Amino acid sequence: MDQHPALNYDVLLEIGAVATGLTVSALMQTCRRLYHDCAQYLLTGVVRLKSEKTVVDFCRFVEADGYSRCSYVREMECKTYELSPASSQQFLEVIPRLTRLESLRLPAAEDTLASEPSLVVAFASLTSLRHLDLFWVHGHTMDLLANMRSSLKSLTITFLSVWPHEDSIFWDNIKDDVWLNCHPVPFLRQHMSSLQKLHMCIWHTFPQYETILVRGYPQLPAYPQVYPNMRSLEIERCNFALCLPYIRGFPNLMHLSMKTDHAWDLDATDSRDTARTLRNHRAENVRSQMDSRTTWEHLEDFTGTVVDLYMFGLVCPIPRVELTDRLERKSCNLPLLADVLSYAQPVHLKLEGDGTLLSDPASETLALPDLLRTRGGSRMENLDVTFRLDKSDEDLDVGAALEYFAASLEGTPLRRLSLKLWERFSTRPCLHPVPPDLAIPHPASSSALAPRRMAEISLDALDVEAYAQRISDAIPSLDDMSIRIARPRKYGDRAATYTKGGVVTATTRKT
């Protein structure tokens, strides 16, 4: 153990920094210095504790050298429960010594903490944590959050859909007079000066919406807590959120992401009732901002569905908007786009939809070309749009619709355009035909392709290069453009690109 290694000590130390765990373990057996100094490499990255054995092995390893190895632990993932009393006590003695632990992830937080409630106190006593991820949250986990001594920079928290021991979620046990203090703004107050990023899932902020129908909207107080460094907020499955407490609590927010169940609700059979409910909730959010003359002034981007942005009712400009749902006839979400864009007035917009988004003369709903001529498109500099045509678009004159779309771009400050158009209504020949002797005859089969409809005929006749050239000529501000158009009854696509000062380049890809 004490004999001198053949290689220079510094060289061996560099090898340990990039070696596998087995190699590092072997190096630690060569001399006392490497035994001490190489231990840090076995604790680099995330320390994952997924069983009682891994907990015991970890504790034994960091206990060596007088617990000095505890200072090497920066990230930990702990998914353990039902530890024996001896193992729990051993772990509880180690946790307070993890004085440089910055990131903690509890994938089954409630199970882990409920199995040994003393872990709540142990983890809460740490002062070095900056990043905390909690999943399957219930009462013990909320106690941990409420008593933490660390100042978090980021928090990810996902509440239980159903708590297996009580057949309920955490919010089912909250009394009405406690709801106000369970809102994230007052509840996370010990992290006011440090919190920068919050991702929350199923963190409800008032009783179910059915209660609102009976009692009206809750009168949420003007919480005094302000988080000056909060920059990113992700709201997931927190339905019918009221925006004003977040605006007041996170005044410097820059990035907002939402993913609720409202888009699914709008597709349901009672979509009219859902649309009315969303409309009323939007009106409440808009009214609260207007009455208080308060909205976000630094918001840079929004990512989420058009339904969520509509429901949240923001009245502030949003420079970058990325809509993650498909705007289409059957989803009933396209009519919401006009109201959303009228306030957001994005500089950068990314969205996709079916032929209804491109053109729908039979509908009173404004399609994208019409919206680009309104206030909602007045600041547009970057447009990334994908049209996915299906069977319901077979009678659409695609060529005429694309020309109308191009005309709507004239006079806009557009600098970048990405346009993609795919179709799923034409029949393509099989890339790998089945040999006749292996083919299974079918009485209803026919070797003839389906008759060509208007969409297919007009799409096939489109000259993509000429179309791109017309757009580049009509928009002097355009810096670059990319257009990809499907080839009906063929594979691949036709593409055209343009860069300012250059010429339109067209290619045909056969894939």
Side-chain angles (χ1 to χ4, degrees):
M1 179 93 179
D2 290 326
Q3 67 183 52
H4 296 290
L7 290 177
N8 180 277
Y9 166 78
D10 292 332
V11 173
L12 291 174
L13 202 58
E14 289 296 324
I15 292 174
V18 297
T20 64
L22 290 176
T23 301
V24 173
S25 298
L27 287 173
M28 291 178 65
Q29 299 178 46
T30 60
C31 69
R32 187 171 300 279
R33 290 184 65 188
L34 290 177
Y35 174 77
H36 174 79
D37 292 343
C38 278
Q40 59 182 308
Y41 301 132
L42 292 178
L43 298 172
T44 299
V46 182
V47 175
R48 290 183 169 86
L49 308 179
K50 297 184 177 182
S51 65
E52 181 169 16
K53 182 181 184 303
T54 57
V55 171
V56 172
D57 289 346
F58 167 73
C59 291
R60 287 175 177 172
F61 184 76
V62 297
E63 286 170 359
D65 276 358
Y67 288 99
S68 63
R69 294 174 180 177
C70 289
S71 63
Y72 299 138
V73 182
R74 299 289 194 274
E75 303 176 71
M76 176 182 289
E77 178 180 301
C78 183
K79 188 180 180 181
T80 60
Y81 41 89
E82 297 182 356
L83 296 178
S84 66
S87 299
S88 295
Q89 185 59 39
Q90 192 176 15
F91 194 28
L92 288 170
E93 291 178 2
V94 167
I95 292 176
R97 294 178 166 87
L98 303 176
T99 56
R100 294 187 180 181
L101 181 65
E102 296 182 355
S103 177
L104 175 63
R105 189 174 190 269
L106 301 179
E110 192 63 22
D111 279 339
T112 298
L113 300 177
S115 67
E116 177 51 71
S118 296
L119 290 175
V120 174
V121 178
F123 283 129
S125 66
L126 295 174
T127 60
S128 59
L129 288 177
R130 296 297 176 262
H131 311 282
L132 181 62
D133 295 347
L134 302 171
F135 300 89
W136 300 91
V137 170
H138 211 268
H140 289 86
T141 319
M142 290 296 276
D143 289 341
L144 168 63
L145 267 179
N147 294 284
M148 287 191 66
R149 295 180 58 197
S150 293
S151 297
L152 296 177
K153 290 185 177 181
S154 70
L155 170 63
T156 295
I157 180 168
T158 300
F159 286 82
L160 287 170
S161 294
V162 175
W163 174 230
H165 303 310
E166 300 181 26
D167 194 28
S168 67
I169 63 173
F170 173 78
W171 306 108
D172 290 342
N173 302 319
I174 300 298
K175 297 180 180 180
D176 289 353
D177 58 349
V178 181
W179 275 97
L180 299 181
N181 294 324
C182 282
H183 193 284
V185 171
F187 192 83
L188 300 174
R189 55 188 173 274
Q190 66 267 39
H191 310 292
M192 279 193 302
S193 61
S194 59
L195 197 61
Q196 300 175 9
K197 182 178 181 179
L198 173 61
H199 175 190
M200 56 187 193
C201 181
I202 323 180
W203 190 326
H204 298 306
T205 50
F206 54 81
Q208 294 300 313
Y209 195 76
E210 289 77 8
T211 306
I212 295 177
L213 300 179
V214 178
R215 307 180 187 175
Y217 280 92
Q219 295 300 312
L220 297 182
Y223 297 116
Q225 292 83 11
V226 176
Y227 297 67
N229 295 310
M230 174 67 78
R231 295 295 184 268
S232 178
L233 174 63
E234 186 168 351
I235 300 174
E236 185 176 353
R237 297 189 65 191
C238 306
N239 296 343
F240 295 108
L242 294 174
C243 65
L244 191 58
Y246 296 109
I247 294 173
R248 285 173 168 163
F250 312 144
N252 299 316
L253 193 75
M254 300 172 66
H255 313 290
L256 175 64
S257 176
M258 297 188 70
K259 183 180 180 182
T260 72
D261 298 329
H262 299 313
W264 294 98
D265 295 338
L266 196 59
D267 291 341
T269 54
D270 58 345
S271 59
R272 290 185 179 180
D273 292 338
T274 302
R276 181 170 58 253
T277 301
L278 290 173
R279 187 164 55 248
N280 293 340
H281 195 80
R282 171 184 172 80
E284 175 65 20
N285 275 327
V286 171
R287 182 201 61 77
S288 67
Q289 294 169 85
M290 294 298 189
D291 290 353
S292 64
R293 297 183 180 181
T294 304
T295 190
W296 274 312
E297 298 180 358
H298 308 287
L299 192 62
E300 294 184 356
D301 55 73
F302 170 87
T303 301
T305 70
V306 66
V307 178
D308 290 329
L309 186 53
Y310 176 86
M311 179 275 303
F312 212 47
L314 296 181
V315 300
C316 60
I318 309 176
R320 186 180 298 274
V321 173
E322 180 177 347
L323 301 178
T324 56
D325 53 344
R326 185 176 298 177
L327 302 165
E328 51 190 3
R329 185 180 292 103
K330 65 181 181 181
S331 293
C332 306
N333 53 10
L334 183 58
L336 311 181
L337 185 59
D339 287 336
V340 164
L341 294 184
S342 66
Y343 282 113
Q345 301 178 38
V347 178
H348 309 272
L349 176 63
K350 183 176 182 179
L351 72 170
E352 70 172 72
D354 62 6
T356 315
L357 179 63
L358 179 59
S359 175
D360 191 6
S363 174
E364 296 181 358
T365 299
L366 295 179
L368 182 60
D370 304 302
L371 295 176
L372 293 176
R373 300 173 186 267
T374 66
R375 184 177 73 164
S378 60
R379 301 197 308 159
M380 195 83 64
E381 293 184 8
N382 188 342
L383 177 60
D384 186 335
V385 58
T386 301
F387 301 108
R388 299 184 185 274
L389 310 185
D390 54 28
K391 285 285 186 181
S392 62
D393 302 308
E394 285 183 320
D395 294 321
L396 175 66
D397 187 337
V398 179
L402 285 174
E403 290 297 339
Y404 184 58
F405 171 76
S408 70
L409 299 176
E410 295 183 20
T412 65
L414 199 66
R415 297 179 58 191
R416 293 179 176 84
L417 172 64
S418 173
L419 187 158
K420 294 177 282 292
L421 190 149
W422 312 124
E423 56 85 15
R424 293 181 292 180
F425 48 70
S426 67
T427 305
R428 291 176 170 82
C430 181
L431 281 176
H432 306 288
V434 179
D437 57 326
L438 298 179
I440 300 176
H442 193 283
S445 65
S446 173
S447 58
L449 297 177
R452 291 158 61 90
R453 302 286 286 270
M454 172 57 73
E456 189 175 349
I457 295 172
S458 59
L459 186 58
D460 199 32
L462 180 67
D463 187 332
V464 177
E465 182 177 5
Y467 178 69
Q469 188 64 59
R470 287 194 293 276
I471 293 180
S472 64
D473 293 341
I475 310 176
S477 60
L478 197 64
D479 289 335
D480 59 74
M481 170 176 54
S482 172
I483 298 178
R484 295 178 63 185
I485 306 291
R487 305 167 68 224
R489 305 205 183 198
K490 300 176 183 178
Y491 291 90
D493 57 55
R494 296 161 292 170
T497 58
Y498 167 80
T499 303
K500 194 174 186 68
V503 296
V504 172
T505 303
T507 58
T508 299
R509 286 180 281 192
K510 301 177 182 180
T511 59

